[in-house]
Amino acid sequence: TFSDATVYRRLRSASEEKVLEVDVKLEFDGDVEIVLNAVVAEVTVCRVVLQGEASIVLRPLLDVKPVFGGAQIFFLDVPIVDYDFAVSKGNVAAEAMTSIVKSSLRKALRTEIQNMLVIPNRILLQMRLPDKVER
């Protein structure tokens, strides 16, 4: 769900570029099925929780479709990420290492999110403008 959205619209004075900034509180808690094949066992992620405040910057705003030329998506702080998973049954060694595996995966996931999505890092999406702009 999205909640507590704060929207900013501003003109940059130097270039008069129109920009729309949206800060949203993200809360995702959902069932998923992600299967990871490890050397020791098969691990299935069955639930993911994501909580954090994301910023979305749309620029430049256009007077025609697709309405904006590109988007930047980022978090100011590392979001909270949690998940539930199960290891393949019958693999006693893997089942015994479940807490170690979960801790290691959480640390790796946090590092990857920080390296990809936490400021100054961000995801950039460039919109492809059609050859003929629809008005």
Side-chain angles (χ1 to χ4, degrees):
T1 62
F2 297 101
S3 62
D4 300 331
T6 305
V7 180
Y8 307 93
R9 183 173 188 256
R10 68 172 193 246
L11 294 174
R12 294 188 185 261
S13 58
S15 65
E16 294 300 314
E17 178 184 60
K18 296 178 185 176
V19 176
L20 177 66
E21 295 181 23
V22 181
D23 293 335
V24 292
K25 183 177 177 185
L26 293 176
E27 294 180 1
F28 176 80
D29 185 344
D31 296 331
V32 296
E33 187 175 339
I34 303 169
V35 179
L36 307 168
N37 289 310
V39 176
V40 181
E42 183 178 275
V43 177
T44 302
V45 178
C46 47
R47 179 173 167 251
V48 173
V49 175
L50 172 71
Q51 296 174 337
E53 188 170 325
S55 291
I56 303 166
V57 180
L58 306 175
R59 81 163 150 233
L61 294 181
L62 307 171
D63 295 324
V64 295
K65 289 182 181 177
V67 185
F68 57 92
Q72 298 177 20
I73 303 167
F74 58 89
F75 289 91
L76 295 176
D77 296 307
V78 180
I80 295 169
V81 178
D82 197 12
Y83 51 87
D84 294 329
F85 72 93
V87 295
S88 53
K89 296 201 185 268
N91 189 329
V92 178
E95 289 176 10
M97 294 176 47
T98 298
S99 64
I100 295 169
V101 171
K102 187 171 185 177
S103 175
S104 297
L105 282 175
R106 182 176 288 117
K107 183 177 179 182
L109 184 59
R110 181 180 172 88
T111 299
E112 285 305 310
I113 289 172
Q114 188 166 352
N115 290 341
M116 291 177 60
L117 284 168
V118 177
I119 213 73
N121 305 305
R122 60 193 74 210
I123 291 178
L124 302 174
L125 304 172
Q126 183 70 34
M127 297 300 294
R128 179 172 161 78
L129 299 175
D131 294 334
K132 195 177 234 184
V133 176
E134 184 178 321
R135 294 184 185 268

